[in-house]
Amino acid sequence: MQSSQVFGSFMPTRWTLVLRANASSPEGRAALSDLCAAYYQPVYVFLRRTGFDEDTARDHAHAFFAHLLQRGFAGPDPERGRFRSYLLGAVKYFVIGLQNHARREKRGGGMTHESLDAGAEGSPPLMIGDATATPMAELFDREWAVAVMNRAVAALAAEHRGGRSVQFEALQPWLMGDDAASHAETAKKLSMTEGAVKVAVHRLRKRFRELLRQEIAQTLDDEADVEDELRYLCSVHG
């Protein structure tokens, strides 16, 4: 979703629209809906790792996003900053609510409830609002990084439809550090010179980084944070 309205000196991102236009407004709700659809997977994986089976995790993920879209915001909160940080905090609260409900339903029934960081020996229970990195928070951020990069790759693939799709498929492994054929092998496959392949890879990587920055910017409220967020996501992606 794009908007022609300008806040300050730059085009508002989706998260900026949510915060400044308010999630209860038409454009704010549309922006939040786009973000929720884009970043469903990190929430689903987070729920799976808390112990829910696939079907239950999907049901809970849908319920979580439906609740998020319905309730909106009372007003912008400067501390939210990144949609990633907001979403992680919101899903933590949601899971704790599910756990509390289960405890009320199963009082004394022998049902065990692991903390959100269960499995990490010596880890304290997850505290909402705790800025300290935890195994579950790190998992969420890794899944978030994968989702961001997958969206950038999909956007890049869309730019290479038709006659350019064969070249894109051959060069794509160089984007994410996957095992790729040698430049010479790829050149032979594409009927190009080795030098032309190297140039094409360089251009493709440059465009990928541009699209990655654009995708990251949509989840921030300040353009100045884009490079920091890009470095962080690349580091957690591994």
Side-chain angles (χ1 to χ4, degrees), residues 146-162:
V146 170
V148 170
M149 291 186 179
N150 284 345
R151 286 179 61 80
V153 169
L156 192 58
E159 294 181 352
H160 289 77
R161 289 174 180 160

Side-chain angles (χ1 to χ4, degrees), residues 68 125-126 134 138 147 160 176 180 203:
L68 196 64
L126 181 60
T134 66
E138 291 169 359
H160 289 77
M176 310 287 282
R203 289 176 177 170

Side-chain angles (χ1 to χ4, degrees), residues 36 41 48 59 83 91 107 131 144 147 159 163 188 225 236:
C36 288
Q41 189 67 15
R48 286 285 287 129
D59 288 343
F83 181 67
V91 75
R107 287 177 187 170
W144 179 274
E159 294 181 352
K188 182 177 180 180
D225 293 332
V236 298

Side-chain angles (χ1 to χ4, degrees), residues 64 84-94 128-129 140:
F64 166 73
R84 169 173 60 83
S85 300
Y86 169 76
L87 193 63
L88 176 57
V91 75
K92 287 176 183 178
Y93 275 116
F94 181 77
I128 299 301
F140 183 89

Side-chain angles (χ1 to χ4, degrees), residues 10-11 13 16 81-82 84 148 209-234:
F10 63 91
M11 193 71 70
T13 67
T16 300
R82 292 165 167 78
R84 169 173 60 83
V148 170
R209 186 177 178 85
E210 291 171 353
L211 292 170
L212 195 57
R213 291 186 82 263
Q214 290 175 22
E215 185 61 37
I216 288 172
Q218 292 300 318
T219 69
L220 302 173
D221 189 37
D222 189 337
E223 284 187 329
D225 293 332
V226 173
E227 286 302 322
D228 285 344
E229 185 78 343
L230 178 58
R231 283 191 292 270
Y232 174 70
L233 292 182
C234 288

